[in-house]
Amino acid sequence: MKYGWRLLLIPLWALCIAGAALTAFLAAGWIGWPAFALAAVIGLALGIPGGLWNTRKIRRDDPAWP
């Protein structure tokens, strides 16, 4: 399972970050499609490196984990 953790953790990180950004935008009163688009960009920009970091950390801490 070479890419198994990446396929799970990258979308998880990206969607969590995008959801938090969207919640902040909507709470601030910024309602419209640009809020959704910017939240998606922020989620991808921070979620991909975060998911990759988390995958590497799991493999580094416990190499026998599947």
Side-chain angles (χ1 to χ4, degrees):
M1 189 164 83
K2 183 172 174 62
Y3 298 106
W5 285 113
R6 286 183 188 176
L7 292 176
L8 175 70
L9 291 173
I10 290 174
L12 183 63
W13 272 76
L15 290 172
C16 287
I17 292 171
L22 183 61
T23 301
F25 293 152
L26 294 176
W30 190 26
I31 299 172
W33 70 266
F36 287 87
L38 185 58
V41 169
I42 291 171
L44 288 174
L46 297 177
I48 291 173
L52 291 174
W53 168 80
N54 203 186
T55 301
R56 290 185 187 120
K57 181 164 177 25
I58 289 172
R59 289 186 188 272
R60 200 173 38 243
D61 288 348
D62 191 5
W65 187 263

